[in-house]
Amino acid sequence: MSNSKQIIVPHLWYDKGAKEAAEFYASIFPDSKIKNVTTIHDTPSGDSDIVTFELWGQKFMAISAGPYFKINPSVSFIVNFDPSRENDASEKINEVWNKLSDGGTPLMPLDKYPFSEKFGWIQDKFGLSWQLMLTNPEGEERPTIVPSLLFVGDQCGKTEEAINFYLSVFKNAKPGHIVRYPNGMEPDKEGTIMFADFSIENQWFAAMDSAHKHKFNFNEAISFMVYCNTQEEIDYYWERLSAVPEAEQCGWLKDQFGVSWQIVPSKMDEMMSKGTPEQKGRLTKAFLKMKKFDLAELQKAYEDKEKESL
C-alpha cells in the first residue's frame, strides 16, 4: 500500500553509505524498493548520492554528504507488526530483528514488555534505530513504520508542547494516544509523556520524554521533508517552523525543539531524477545559494531561462 500522497518524508544523512543503507533496509522489510539514485556534483560535500526508496510502502530519502552529522536514537522508527494485517507477524518480527542485529546493538532486548507481547529497540550497523513491536490491533490502524521523537536533555518534558505545536502548524492534524509516566518512575517526572502519537498530513509520528542521561539530541542527520506545491506553502511552513536562523540553509531549518525539517517544492524530486546532467547542475548551483527555497528561481535555473548577460 504505497502512500503516493506522502507529504512528509523522513530524510537520512550518511557520510558515504546512503545507497548501501537503503539497499540493506529494502532487503529487510516487505514491500520495499530503491526508487532512484541521483548524484549531485560540486556540493560543499563534493559528489553526493541522493537515494529515494520505499520501506513497507512508505517513502524515505537518504543522502551521502560527508561526516557532518551522525544518526543517533533521538529519532527512531517504530515498526508495527500487526497480527490483523500480517498472518505471521510474530515470526516476521523475529526475522527482521535478526537481520538488523547484523552489526547492530540492541538498546532494549526483543522481549515481552507491559506495553507489548513482543518488543525490541535496536540500533543497526548504520546507526539508525528501530523499535520493532508486535502491535495490539485495536483502535485506528497505524502505518507499518512511524517516526518516533525522543525528547531528552534540555528538551525533556517538552513532548506535549511539541505535539500541540505540530498539530497547530500542519493542516490535517489529529492527536492519537497519550500515556503519561506514573509516580515512581524516576528520573522521569510524573505526568510527562511516556508515549504519545499524532498524525500530521496523514503521517503518524510518535513522541516521548526521557529524563535518563542520554549522550545525544536531535540533529540534522534525520530530518523531515515537507513537500509543498506552491511558494505560498513554502513560506507558510518556513515562517512557522524555523526557529534557529543559523540552521537555515538549502531548504533546511530547525524548529524550536531542535528537530530539522526541509521545506521543498514537490517538483524538486522530479527535476532531480528526470533532469539532464546540465539541468541538475544548474538546479544544484541555484539551491546551494538559497536558505528558503524560491520556487520560481529554481524552475528558472532548471529551464535555463536566465538572460544571457550582455
Side-chain angles (χ1 to χ4, degrees):
M1 173 190 86
S2 171
N3 183 354
S4 56
K5 278 268 181 282
Q6 193 177 330
I7 292 168
I8 302 177
V9 174
H11 181 281
L12 313 172
W13 180 299
Y14 297 92
D15 178 2
K16 299 185 183 71
K19 194 165 162 280
E20 194 191 337
E23 283 167 352
F24 177 61
Y25 303 139
S27 73
I28 289 178
F29 295 104
D31 187 17
S32 303
K33 55 179 178 287
I34 307 280
K35 302 273 294 226
N36 189 322
V37 182
T38 293
T39 306
I40 55 172
H41 304 282
D42 304 322
T43 77
S45 318
D47 291 355
S48 295
D49 284 340
I50 298 174
V51 188
T52 311
F53 59 109
E54 268 181 26
L55 298 181
W56 218 339
Q58 305 230 35
K59 277 159 102 170
F60 280 77
M61 231 164 147
I63 188 168
S64 290
Y68 304 105
F69 309 110
K70 211 170 161 36
I71 292 174
N72 70 50
S74 59
V75 178
S76 59
F77 291 92
I78 296 172
V79 187
N80 287 312
F81 295 81
D82 183 338
S84 67
R85 195 163 41 195
E86 313 288 325
N87 300 335
D88 53 352
S90 195
E91 289 81 83
K92 208 166 243 169
I93 195 170
N94 292 349
E95 195 184 307
V96 170
W97 177 269
N98 292 338
K99 287 178 179 166
L100 290 172
S101 299
D102 174 20
T105 314
L107 304 177
M108 283 174 77
L110 186 62
D111 207 345
K112 186 180 167 145
Y113 291 90
F115 52 86
S116 172
E117 275 301 297
K118 199 182 266 190
F119 171 87
W121 191 331
I122 189 161
Q123 193 166 15
D124 69 33
K125 61 183 171 189
F126 295 100
L128 190 57
S129 45
W130 305 86
Q131 300 184 53
L132 307 185
M133 185 181 279
L134 194 60
T135 2
N136 177 350
E138 67 190 37
E140 189 181 351
E141 194 179 343
R142 295 293 188 262
T144 43
I145 299 181
V146 175
S148 177
L149 308 172
L150 189 63
F151 288 75
V152 300
D154 53 0
Q155 299 297 338
C156 178
K158 293 186 184 171
T159 296
E160 193 160 10
E161 185 193 336
I163 292 174
N164 290 333
F165 172 66
Y166 299 140
L167 291 174
S168 76
V169 169
F170 289 90
K171 304 172 181 75
N172 303 326
K174 56 178 177 204
H177 303 300
I178 283 200
V179 182
R180 297 176 190 280
Y181 284 108
N183 193 352
M185 297 270 299
E186 283 66 33
D188 287 302
K189 279 224 304 270
E190 183 178 1
T192 57
I193 306 293
M194 192 174 188
F195 176 86
D197 62 6
F198 60 99
S199 169
I200 49 179
E201 288 299 358
N202 303 316
Q203 167 79 45
W204 281 96
F205 280 78
M208 55 197 77
D209 288 308
S210 173
H212 290 265
K213 287 232 179 306
H214 297 284
K215 291 190 172 74
F216 53 77
N217 220 319
F218 297 127
N219 70 3
E220 288 82 343
I222 301 182
S223 59
F224 297 98
M225 306 176 80
V226 182
Y227 283 104
C228 301
N229 293 321
T230 61
Q231 187 64 43
E232 203 176 22
E233 279 185 46
I234 292 173
D235 296 348
Y236 169 88
Y237 286 118
W238 195 267
E239 206 171 290
R240 281 163 183 75
L241 289 171
S242 186
V244 185
E246 59 274 20
E248 296 182 350
Q249 175 178 351
C250 305
W252 292 63
L253 61 80
K254 235 179 219 198
D255 69 23
Q256 64 203 64
F257 304 100
V259 177
S260 289
W261 300 84
Q262 296 182 55
I263 310 302
V264 292
S266 308
K267 292 201 173 88
M268 194 87 158
D269 278 6
E270 196 183 321
M271 295 196 277
M272 274 305 192
S273 58
K274 298 202 168 82
T276 64
E278 291 73 29
Q279 286 174 317
K280 284 194 276 199
R282 290 195 302 267
L283 186 63
T284 305
K285 207 167 149 185
F287 80 64
L288 287 172
K289 293 190 190 115
M290 298 178 181
K291 289 185 176 182
K292 179 174 76 176
F293 280 155
D294 180 327
L295 187 49
E297 283 299 313
L298 290 172
Q299 203 111 30
K300 211 155 82 175
Y302 183 74
E303 288 159 10
D304 201 20
K305 289 190 175 151
E306 292 297 310
K307 297 215 167 28
E308 297 293 311
S309 53
L310 298 168

